[in-house]
Amino acid sequence: MLSWAYLVLGLLGGAAASLQIIPGATWTAKGSNAHIQAHGGSITKVGDTYYLIGENKLNGSAFQSIRCYTSKDLVQWTFSNNLLTLASSGDLGPNRVVERPKVIQNSSGQWVMWMHIDSSSYGEAKVGVATSSSICGTYQYIRSFQPLGRQSRDMGLFKDTDGSGYLLTEDRQSGLRIIKLTSDFKDVAQDTYLFPSHYEAPAMIKVNGRYFMFASLLTGWDTNDNKFTTSTSLTSGWSSWANFAPSGERTYDSQTTAILQVGSNYMYMGDRWFSGNLMRSSYIWLPLTISGSSASISWYVNWIIDPNTGVARAGPSENSYE
């Protein structure tokens, strides 16, 4: 397997080199000289910089830290900071579960991180909240709780075009929930919608007034055909769940973690978990095509993205990255 998730190719005639995203490859970050540890994460753009925030799994499944990496081009990443680190006790203590960190900026400019907090047996099913004055700074952990008194495991965040924030959360007892946040994004306010079907790993985008929810079936570490549903309203009218990758491909052996908008285009972000050695888990990033009420991804051994417009094109012809 490649030691880098990109190749710098000198093109004939002195043309500029190309930086490739190689789904599933080992991805070495500057500043750490190690495979990127941002599992279950997401990317946020501030100014001309992309921030990748996710779980550090270097030493297994128990919480170690939440890491932040930065990039200008979505390919060359630099380790910048540990946003939350292991404590001696409490929610961030030894043998604790801290998963799927997502960040959102409130109207006062403060960054708010939400994450799944749990015991090693997954018996608590809570969310945790932390805050920072900068997206890649040190976060102050505030508390954990069950949103509106209900279970919460895999979760995501969504910020609507009107500035409202929403928690997307898997309630194992009832289904997948959309819950509106308070105006400062530090607490939950009220239920918005319940999908009674059982899905996890939720991610949402809004395109031309239409909402798209992406999620995974509940199959543990094993992959499945992830699904999407769409509506013009958060509170009603959601379509039947459907595949967005070819049936039987198990979403190219990945599980949804986030959807990134780049310009007027979109990129699917998925985790390819290696349950026996979680630090090796890799990243499946692919162009996501949105057309009307449809969504789809196709496989690329390698591909090139314009970091400003999101326009994607295939990389040089290869059969595999090995």
Side-chain angles (χ1 to χ4, degrees), residues 71-86:
S71 176
K72 300 289 188 180
D73 53 33
L74 291 168
V75 177
Q76 301 174 104
W77 292 94
T78 300
F79 170 69
S80 293
N81 193 27
N82 286 310
L83 309 189
L84 291 172
T85 55
L86 185 65

Side-chain angles (χ1 to χ4, degrees), residues 159-171:
K159 189 174 185 179
D160 207 344
T161 49
D162 67 358
S164 300
Y166 295 86
L167 173 68
L168 318 174
T169 175
E170 185 240 330
D171 174 357

Side-chain angles (χ1 to χ4, degrees), residues 48-274:
D48 64 352
T49 301
Y50 290 96
Y51 295 85
L52 170 61
I53 294 172
E55 310 162 30
N56 172 13
K57 298 291 192 185
L58 276 174
N59 296 309
S61 61
F63 173 64
Q64 298 149 63
S65 66
I66 301 300
R67 290 192 166 186
C68 178
Y69 299 82
T70 58
S71 176
K72 300 289 188 180
D73 53 33
L74 291 168
V75 177
Q76 301 174 104
W77 292 94
T78 300
F79 170 69
S80 293
N81 193 27
N82 286 310
L83 309 189
L84 291 172
T85 55
L86 185 65
S88 60
S89 62
D91 285 343
L92 307 184
N95 301 312
R96 296 290 294 174
V97 170
V98 181
E99 297 177 332
R100 298 191 175 273
K102 302 294 188 292
V103 298
I104 188 171
Q105 189 176 35
N106 64 24
S107 59
S108 67
Q110 188 176 48
W111 288 92
V112 184
M113 179 189 295
W114 288 69
M115 68 213 86
H116 171 206
I117 296 289
D118 226 317
S119 63
S120 58
S121 64
Y122 286 85
E124 295 179 8
K126 301 188 293 185
V127 291
V129 179
T131 60
S132 176
S133 60
S134 61
I135 185 172
C136 204
T138 300
Y139 281 68
Q140 179 182 0
Y141 186 74
I142 300 173
R143 65 177 180 128
S144 64
F145 60 98
Q146 288 194 329
L148 301 176
R150 304 189 192 100
Q151 293 184 8
S152 177
R153 289 185 173 86
D154 279 9
M155 46 72 54
L157 292 176
F158 171 69
K159 189 174 185 179
D160 207 344
T161 49
D162 67 358
S164 300
Y166 295 86
L167 173 68
L168 318 174
T169 175
E170 185 240 330
D171 174 357
R172 190 65 54 88
Q173 294 178 322
S174 301
L176 182 62
R177 294 184 180 275
I178 304 174
I179 302 176
K180 190 173 184 179
L181 302 179
T182 54
S183 59
D184 63 2
F185 300 159
K186 298 178 188 179
D187 203 348
V188 291
Q190 63 189 40
D191 283 322
T192 298
Y193 192 76
L194 170 66
F195 298 93
S197 302
H198 290 279
Y199 290 92
E200 63 181 5
M204 184 185 288
I205 55 172
K206 187 178 184 180
V207 183
N208 296 327
R210 179 174 290 276
Y211 300 94
F212 291 78
M213 173 77 88
F214 300 82
S216 165
L217 300 171
L218 277 65
T219 54
W221 295 113
D222 297 327
T223 52
N224 56 71
D225 285 338
N226 287 200
K227 310 289 184 180
F228 83 99
T229 177
T230 181
S231 176
T232 56
S233 170
L234 287 176
T235 59
S236 64
W238 289 93
S239 65
S240 298
W241 292 89
N243 294 342
F244 59 94
S247 179
E249 291 288 348
R250 295 175 291 112
T251 326
Y252 300 115
D253 197 16
S254 73
Q255 182 184 44
T256 300
T257 184
I259 306 296
L260 176 66
Q261 180 172 356
V262 184
S264 59
N265 294 285
Y266 299 87
M267 183 177 79
Y268 165 80
M269 298 177 60
D271 290 296
R272 178 176 287 175
W273 299 108
F274 295 101

